[in-house]
Amino acid sequence: MNNIQQKSSSERLLWAQFDTLQLGSGWDEKDISKPQILIEDVYGDSHPGSTHLDKLTEQAKYGVIEEGGFAAHFHTTDVCDGCAQGHNGMNVVLASREAICDMVEIHGTVVPWDGIILTSSCDKSVPAHLKAAARLDIPAIFIPGGSMRPGPYMTTSLGTGDISLRQRKGEISDGELRDYKLTGCPSEGACSFLGTASTMQCVAEALGMALPGSALVPATMRDILTFSRNSGRKIMELVKNNITPSKIMTEEAFANAIIIHSAIGGSTNATIHLPSIARELGIYLKPELFDEINHKIPHIGNINPSGEHITESFWFAGGIPMVQLLLKDYLNLDVLTVTGKTLGENLEDIQKDNFFERNLGYLHNYGLKREQVIIPVEKATETGSIAILKGNLAPDGAVVKYSACAENMRVHKGIARVYNSEEEAYNAVVEGDINPGEIIVIRYEGPRGSGMPEMLMTTEAIVCDKRLNGTVSLVTDGRFSGATRGAAIGHVSPEAASGGPIAFIETGDIIEYNIEKRTLDIVGIQGKEATCSEVEQELAKRKQSNGILSRPERKGMFKRYTDMALSAMEGAGY
């Protein structure tokens, strides 16, 4: 592909130091005249999803060189939600998405690159990379970092909820605790349940930005290196044909991604990340679109935490291409992808390549059949997985993952127990201050309130408490982990810090939600049923007399983010 015109050729004529700086960095004279590809990763020692990415980028670089280009490695390491649990580090995790995106934009702008390869595995880095690709809009391809191996008895790292709670109560032996630590994360790759990390890998492929079949490939298998090498080859083809992210991530592609997200039971965080990615392209994804799609798409992914099986098994069963094949009548098959072909053409090619049958034998190693992991459409018993609720508590909307919520908790009326931070609510749960049937409200945890941390510690404390599990709901303007289970309603908008109604509810008020009817309302004041008008009048009085809590003094990146962040229903970017 040496006939590609190098984008930076004119700049090199203007400033000789351009070439000498690259020569001083290990390039040679032939390299600097070739099409130049930026390889951007989040490689580092931060967590298992990033420690192996150097192996992937090495293969990608080989692919670029094979096709006549030359690549340079740049790094902006990401962070892990799991390491941020239980302290203020969680408050900056969502903001890290913006920081990574901004840094990739800087890397991608300082040199007139001909194309960019991005690779990451996890919650904030995958959407950050997709946002950056959209913002730069130069030929781009994404390499998913794959799945971690399963723990003992097909377990995942999510066992930490029960382990941590019993550790706090002194109900676990040192040996059991050590065994969990040694086996909970047995390899590199994204955690092996369908949390936000795994969800966003699937979304990247569903958007057409990653090679077919590459999302959630086991991180320790040779296949992930093949996908990486092929991505390096493919970027040169995208450069030659000037296929940019804006030609791939169209409105139709986003609709396809939401369909796949609905079908597999993906994380609620995708309702933040997809609108934020779309915004970079000038596309507005209305929250109602998620609801419209979830009303009609069969839920066919039997994947933990909404289902039974781990992400490795999902890939063995056919992964995203198999879901797309089963749902082809719902999808727009004419959308362009990073293969340079349409989605429909990709599905034909992957079938001819024997991808589905070749990998099925791995699934049989676990004694499983494909239909146990990816349910045939005609056998699906549920439609969708995510709902957008609205009402006088969430005028702009709230999000619930009902596929991870028991049937008996999809309609609930209860007394509110209100807390101004997750820490307060978590302590109330573990100290036994919450009663069965109550609805916990955690506020001032939205994007502007405290950076929109996830509430995994509290949701896990609820589901691991036999007295509360299946009777207590949680409502918050914060967000949840993709691993969240139970009746958990988040992203309440407007958030408390912006003066939303959630700022003025009090302990003792009555909340009612109905997932089927998509409603979330305050229906009583201090234990007494009230009309909508009476509730509105009382909230207005409280707003007048109490106002909203002032935020503590902040500085640096965290201040910039919380000062500028959009509503969760708009993607919580800036």
Side-chain angles (χ1 to χ4, degrees):
M1 294 202 180
N2 291 321
N3 59 339
I4 299 174
Q5 176 64 44
Q6 186 189 61
K7 190 182 294 183
S8 59
S9 57
S10 58
E11 283 79 2
R12 293 173 188 282
L13 294 174
L14 292 173
W15 192 248
Q17 192 185 28
F18 196 153
D19 287 352
T20 198
L21 286 168
Q22 290 190 326
L23 289 167
S25 301
W27 303 46
D28 71 17
E29 290 181 277
K30 288 186 177 180
D31 295 333
I32 61 175
S33 64
K34 297 173 182 176
Q36 296 193 355
I37 306 300
L38 170 61
I39 297 182
E40 187 74 46
D41 62 37
V42 291
Y43 167 68
D45 293 334
S46 53
H47 57 88
S50 293
T51 57
H52 64 305
L53 296 178
D54 58 329
K55 303 185 189 90
L56 310 193
T57 56
E58 179 184 35
Q59 292 296 322
K61 186 170 185 175
Y62 292 156
V64 170
I65 293 171
E66 286 175 12
E67 296 300 320
F70 197 78
H73 295 277
F74 282 55
H75 319 280
T76 303
T77 306
D78 62 348
V79 295
C80 179
D81 294 44
C83 297
Q85 293 288 345
H87 60 93
N88 287 338
M90 180 56 74
N91 294 339
V92 301
V93 167
L94 182 56
S96 76
R97 181 190 70 180
E98 307 307 310
I100 294 168
C101 177
D102 289 347
M103 202 65 224
V104 175
E105 179 192 9
I106 291 170
H107 292 167
T109 304
V110 72
V111 171
W113 301 101
D114 295 289
I116 182 172
I117 299 171
L118 305 121
T119 181
S120 52
S121 306
C122 291
D123 301 41
K124 310 308 171 297
S125 50
V126 176
H129 278 168
L130 294 175
K131 278 168 62 79
R135 191 180 294 177
L136 292 167
D137 203 27
I138 60 175
I141 193 167
F142 178 76
I143 305 172
S147 289
M148 182 183 290
R149 297 306 312 279
Y153 305 104
M154 303 302 283
T155 56
T156 75
S157 62
L158 187 56
T160 188
D162 175 63
I163 294 286
S164 298
L165 191 60
R166 289 195 287 136
Q167 180 184 16
R168 177 178 174 129
K169 294 180 178 180
E171 298 174 352
I172 187 172
S173 69
D174 291 344
E176 187 180 358
L177 181 61
R178 180 170 181 264
D179 286 346
Y180 164 74
K181 291 180 179 180
L182 291 175
T183 61
C185 291
S187 80
E188 59 212 20
C191 291
S192 55
F193 51 85
L194 194 64
T196 307
S198 297
T199 295
M200 293 311 298
Q201 289 190 39
C202 293
V203 163
E205 184 178 330
L207 279 170
M209 289 298 294
L211 291 179
S214 60
L216 303 183
V217 57
T220 57
M221 291 179 66
R222 59 162 298 283
D223 301 77
I224 199 168
L225 301 179
T226 300
F227 280 118
S228 301
R229 179 77 70 95
N230 287 338
S231 295
R233 295 168 177 143
K234 187 58 66 173
I235 190 64
M236 297 303 293
E237 184 179 320
L238 295 173
V239 169
K240 180 181 180 181
N241 296 315
N242 193 32
I243 297 175
T244 62
S246 61
K247 297 174 183 177
I248 295 171
M249 291 193 283
T250 60
E251 289 188 36
E252 293 79 9
F254 279 101
N256 279 354
I258 296 172
I259 288 169
I260 298 304
H261 174 267
S262 172
I264 63 177
S267 165
T268 54
N269 285 309
T271 66
I272 298 174
H273 298 319
L274 277 168
S276 193
I277 297 164
R279 185 181 179 85
E280 299 290 346
L281 295 158
I283 297 171
Y284 172 61
L285 288 186
K286 61 179 183 177
E288 292 79 10
L289 180 60
F290 287 88
D291 212 57
E292 291 169 11
I293 288 174
N294 275 268
H295 263 98
K296 62 184 180 182
I297 300 302
H299 180 197
I300 61 175
N302 185 14
I303 317 165
N304 183 292
S306 295
E308 301 175 278
H309 303 293
I310 59 170
T311 50
E312 180 180 272
S313 298
F314 174 66
W315 188 78
F316 292 151
I320 293 304
M322 177 53 66
V323 175
Q324 291 171 323
L325 190 64
L326 293 177
L327 296 179
K328 63 181 181 179
D329 292 340
Y330 296 93
L331 296 166
N332 185 322
L333 300 179
D334 295 326
V335 293
L336 186 64
T337 73
V338 290
T339 64
K341 298 181 179 182
T342 66
L343 172 57
E345 290 170 329
N346 288 346
L347 292 177
E348 290 179 5
D349 288 346
I350 206 166
Q351 285 179 280
K352 291 175 183 176
D353 187 50
N354 206 38
F355 174 82
F356 297 128
E357 299 310 312
R358 180 169 61 247
N359 292 323
L360 201 57
Y362 293 120
L363 190 61
H364 290 170
N365 288 344
Y366 294 132
L368 293 172
K369 297 180 179 180
R370 174 178 289 144
E371 55 266 29
Q372 292 175 269
V373 184
I374 302 177
I375 302 166
V377 170
E378 64 275 11
K379 294 184 179 179
T381 59
E382 185 166 64
T383 300
S385 55
I386 297 284
I388 306 297
L389 311 183
K390 288 191 174 184
N392 64 19
L393 184 54
D396 292 344
V399 178
V400 63
K401 184 176 178 178
Y402 58 83
S403 62
C405 175
E407 288 277 356
N408 68 300
M409 291 300 291
R410 296 185 183 187
V411 177
H412 186 202
K413 181 191 292 187
I415 296 294
R417 294 290 298 273
V418 181
Y419 301 93
N420 291 330
S421 71
E422 191 204 7
E423 292 80 3
E424 294 176 11
Y426 175 75
N427 288 332
V429 172
V430 298
E431 291 170 7
D433 293 339
I434 303 298
N435 301 309
E438 293 181 330
I439 297 179
I440 299 171
V441 176
I442 307 178
R443 62 189 178 192
Y444 293 102
E445 298 284 23
R448 296 203 172 198
S450 61
M452 207 176 185
E454 67 176 35
M455 308 284 117
L456 181 62
M457 285 183 63
T458 303
T459 56
E460 282 298 290
I462 293 169
V463 299
C464 292
D465 188 323
K466 294 180 181 179
R467 190 175 66 93
L468 304 180
N469 186 30
T471 72
V472 168
S473 306
L474 190 152
V475 175
T476 180
D477 53 7
R479 63 183 179 85
F480 297 116
S481 162
T484 293
R485 303 171 287 168
I489 300 169
H491 309 188
V492 170
S493 300
E495 63 176 290
S498 297
I502 194 173
F504 310 112
I505 190 171
E506 294 180 358
T507 293
D509 292 345
I510 305 172
I511 296 174
E512 183 176 28
Y513 65 83
N514 187 314
I515 292 176
E516 184 178 353
K517 294 182 179 179
R518 302 323 200 230
T519 59
L520 174 62
D521 293 290
I522 303 169
V523 296
I525 302 296
Q526 292 303 300
K528 183 180 179 180
E529 299 274 346
T531 65
C532 291
S533 177
E534 290 170 336
V535 169
E536 184 178 343
Q537 291 174 16
E538 179 61 25
L539 294 183
K541 289 179 184 177
R542 293 175 182 176
K543 182 176 183 178
Q544 184 68 30
S545 59
N546 300 331
I548 62 174
L549 292 182
S550 59
R551 298 184 304 176
E553 186 64 30
R554 290 163 179 173
K555 59 184 178 181
M557 180 275 299
F558 186 52
K559 175 176 171 57
R560 288 196 299 276
Y561 178 73
T562 54
D563 282 353
M564 300 169 60
L566 297 169
S567 157
M569 305 309 288
E570 297 177 286
Y574 54 65

